Amino acid sequence: MTENARLQAVMDKFEIIETSTVSLCCRDAGDWTRLAQCFHPEARLTTSWFAGTAREFVEQSRHMMEGHDPGDTQRHLMGNPRVTIKGHHAVCEYLLILFQGRTLDGYEFDFESWAMVLDWHEKRDGVWRISKRAIIYEKGRMDP
């Protein structure tokens, strides 16, 4: 592999991991415009509570967050990303832990769920974006 090809591979992997990471941070922060920009327009997602297009996911996420108690918290933690690139297509596989502090019916709970995420990326017009996301849940817990 040439030095230029190696450099391009490093830049591609960084952009792919950055796009997946930013999508999680934007979801937590409620930055719906930037979250939508992480996905290609026809992208599809499957999570524990949703299956559909990225546009629908952003809208339903926004609606869901508006219904939460103002003191609720949410943080997605991404770890051990592994990127495989083939041409203008790539898969970013990573571990995901979701931490939530929620108030339900006046009671406070801490939630934690563990999952494996597969983000399929596609490079169009020189930009990597997510074209498909599948989340495979492994375990969860709830503590009062």
Side-chain angles (χ1 to χ4, degrees):
M1 182 183 286
T2 68
E3 193 66 26
N4 284 343
R6 288 180 65 216
L7 181 58
Q8 184 62 53
V10 168
M11 291 187 313
D12 286 341
K13 284 185 179 188
F14 175 82
E15 188 174 344
I16 290 163
I17 293 170
E18 179 72 2
T19 301
S20 289
T21 304
V22 166
S23 74
L24 300 174
C25 294
C26 290
R27 173 74 169 76
D28 291 341
D31 187 345
W32 311 119
T33 301
R34 195 160 175 218
L35 175 60
Q37 293 169 354
C38 294
F39 297 90
H40 286 295
E42 74 287 352
R44 301 204 50 91
L45 291 87
T46 302
T47 72
S48 65
W49 62 272
F50 176 84
T53 67
R55 184 177 350 161
E56 294 167 332
F57 175 75
V58 171
E59 182 58 30
Q60 289 187 28
S61 295
R62 182 188 62 76
H63 181 69
M64 180 192 314
M65 294 303 288
E66 288 173 351
H68 282 206
D69 185 88
D72 287 356
T73 60
Q74 173 176 287
R75 295 291 177 258
H76 290 82
L77 179 65
M78 173 188 191
N80 298 343
R82 181 174 60 179
V83 176
T84 304
I85 300 173
K86 188 170 185 178
H88 286 86
H89 298 273
V91 175
C92 182
E93 176 183 356
Y94 55 93
L95 304 174
L96 178 68
I97 303 174
L98 171 59
F99 298 101
Q100 289 184 311
R102 299 279 310 275
T103 301
L104 302 170
D105 296 328
Y107 297 96
E108 293 181 356
F109 296 93
D110 288 326
F111 293 90
E112 182 179 312
S113 60
W114 293 45
M116 176 62 67
V117 180
L118 296 169
D119 281 347
W120 285 267
H121 291 253
E122 187 176 337
K123 189 175 191 178
R124 298 181 194 166
D125 300 321
V127 178
W128 288 101
R129 287 198 173 98
I130 302 165
S131 58
K132 182 179 178 184
R133 172 175 284 168
I135 302 178
I136 303 156
Y137 287 88
E138 298 175 345
K139 72 175 189 172
R141 64 178 293 141
M142 176 179 78
D143 297 310

